[in-house]
Amino acid sequence: MFVVSLNYKVPLEQVDAHIEDHIAWLKQAYAKGMFLASGRKVPRDGGVILAKGDRAALEDELTRDPFHQHDLADYHITEFDPVMVADGLEALQG
């Protein structure tokens, strides 16, 4: 399991110019079964993605993000093993 933290490097106006393409990319990664959850940080200085799978595949997928392609954000990947989860989230384990 991975937590991907995005931090914007440019003003929000530049981010917003690519937001529709970014959302389309997110939907594609969800359809592949790689992404489990995502959203904006508060305050809005980046975003967070919860992902599963292989780290190399995740790193490759992140290069397809329009935010990456236009050098709008830095990415930090944290891998973790969810040994405890709330009821109903058992599928996240393992």
Side-chain angles (χ1 to χ4, degrees):
M1 179 86 40
F2 301 93
V3 176
V4 181
S5 178
L6 287 74
N7 294 306
Y8 299 144
K9 302 177 356 179
V10 299
L12 286 176
E13 296 78 23
Q14 292 179 28
V15 171
D16 287 341
H18 298 278
I19 197 76
E20 289 183 22
D21 291 337
H22 173 72
I23 291 170
W25 166 78
L26 285 168
K27 288 179 180 180
Q28 179 188 54
Y30 276 102
K32 292 178 183 177
M34 182 176 287
F35 290 177
L36 303 173
S38 60
R40 295 175 173 172
K41 291 182 180 178
V42 178
R44 189 177 169 210
D45 59 2
V48 175
I49 300 169
L50 183 62
K52 65 178 182 175
D54 175 75
R55 185 182 185 106
L58 174 60
E59 290 173 346
D60 182 62
E61 186 62 40
L62 293 174
T63 67
R64 302 178 204 294
D65 182 0
F67 289 177
H68 175 79
Q69 294 173 344
H70 295 281
D71 199 29
L72 305 177
D74 287 322
Y75 298 74
H76 179 79
I77 301 171
T78 302
E79 184 171 2
F80 76 104
D81 182 13
V83 295
M84 293 179 65
V85 297
D87 290 343
L89 297 178
E90 292 83 6
L92 296 178
Q93 291 177 298

